[in-house]
Amino acid sequence: MDVLSDLLHRAHASDALVRQLIQRPPWSLTFADAPPLTLVATLGGHAFLGLGSGPPVRLAAGDIALIKVPGYTIADDPATAPQVVIRGGRKYPLTGTAEVSARAPRTYGDGAPGATTMLRGAYELHGVAAERLLAMLPPSAVVPAGPRTRAALDLLATEVGRDEPGQDAVLRRVLDLVLVLALRAWCAAAEAPPAWFRALDDAGVGEALRLLHAEPARRWTVAALAARAGLSRAAFAARFARLVGEPPLTYLTGWRMTLAADLLRDTEDSVAAVAKAVGYEDPFAFSVAFKRHRGASPSDWRRGRLTS
């Protein structure tokens, strides 16, 4: 499994809420308690995204914004005062404006001429794997319109207004497609993409990353990875460290600790069982490594996560 697919899978980035918003100027919506990751796409017209600090960002038709801050505003113009606050899944008018009403399944707004049409997908992410996924993004990442993302957005727009058997499953899968395409496009164009993303273009290092994510509990050695990558041990170690930013076994240990942290939170498995699941036969060695990475012993981490 490749790195991005593994992160998305383990962050449980699949249980998403999809809505279409059709707003006629002047309009302004404030999302006060957004989930960890939100995808906003402008299908027609334009919108301005404001995060509370810095200048608003204009979203043209076909643009996609990936947002990881809990509060933001979307409006037709930066000067438009907020009209509706959305908090806890409910809409609260601020200026005497009528509450945004539903006009079709999962579609809200009046649909009058001149309106801006947007799609919004909200992801409830999960665990330390989600933290690693979100760490690759700035507070908001804007992906300009492109032929691949536009085709996926058109499909999502077609499906969002339907109400047929299995519709929620269809919407989640199409939204996932849009998300992956947007993440790919942003990483490819970013000035400072995640190091592992650049490394995927290297045949040898990319293969090593795939192996580490496919079998994280295996007793990997640098020599074994180098052999699978078709490189000498020294050449592989140097290339991996240069492209990924850390040695291969350091990367592996960090990923194992991510997996262990989520296992401790999500299962009742013993510390010894969790240690074995991520490649440690000795629970003591695992506990030492875990505390070094997470700042708490496995047992203390579990207690803290369960009570937080």
Side-chain angles (χ1 to χ4, degrees), residues 184-232:
R184 279 183 188 168
W186 182 81
C187 286
E191 292 183 5
W196 55 258
F197 185 84
R198 296 192 303 267
L200 295 177
D201 288 334
D202 183 274
V205 175
E207 173 65 6
L209 284 169
R210 186 192 67 78
L211 291 168
L212 293 177
H213 280 262
E215 300 180 80
R218 183 168 174 172
R219 292 186 178 182
W220 289 110
T221 64
V222 175
L225 289 168
R228 298 289 291 270
L231 297 167
S232 71

Side-chain angles (χ1 to χ4, degrees), residues 34-247:
L37 180 62
T38 305
L39 183 152
V40 174
T42 308
L43 299 180
H46 70 272
F48 284 87
L49 170 65
L51 302 182
S53 62
V57 178
R58 188 179 190 275
L59 302 177
D63 289 353
I64 299 171
L66 302 175
I67 308 165
K68 69 171 188 179
V69 296
Y72 58 90
T73 297
I74 307 174
D76 70 304
D77 188 278
T80 302
Q83 299 169 343
V84 174
V85 171
I86 300 173
R87 180 182 291 108
R90 296 181 63 85
K91 304 174 186 67
Y92 299 93
L94 295 179
T95 60
T97 306
E99 182 175 343
V100 181
S101 58
R103 59 189 301 269
R106 308 172 192 84
T107 300
Y108 296 84
D110 57 21
T116 294
T117 302
M118 295 173 293
L119 287 173
R120 179 177 181 269
Y123 281 93
E124 291 289 351
L125 303 182
H126 174 86
V128 179
E131 294 173 7
R132 287 178 69 118
L133 175 65
L134 293 173
M136 65 186 270
L137 293 170
S140 69
V142 176
V143 178
R148 295 187 71 188
T149 54
R150 186 71 214 211
L153 285 175
D154 288 344
L155 176 59
L156 184 58
T158 299
E159 294 293 336
V160 75
R162 294 179 175 174
D163 196 13
E164 301 175 2
Q167 198 65 26
D168 286 337
V170 169
L171 288 173
R172 284 195 294 270
R173 284 160 176 77
V174 179
L175 180 64
D176 289 348
L177 172 62
V178 175
L179 174 62
V180 172
L181 292 176
L183 286 170
R184 279 183 188 168
W186 182 81
C187 286
E191 292 183 5
W196 55 258
F197 185 84
R198 296 192 303 267
L200 295 177
D201 288 334
D202 183 274
V205 175
E207 173 65 6
L209 284 169
R210 186 192 67 78
L211 291 168
L212 293 177
H213 280 262
E215 300 180 80
R218 183 168 174 172
R219 292 186 178 182
W220 289 110
T221 64
V222 175
L225 289 168
R228 298 289 291 270
L231 297 167
S232 71
R233 185 185 185 284
F236 167 75
R239 185 180 296 184
F240 191 103
R242 176 172 57 84
L243 293 177
V244 180
E246 57 187 346

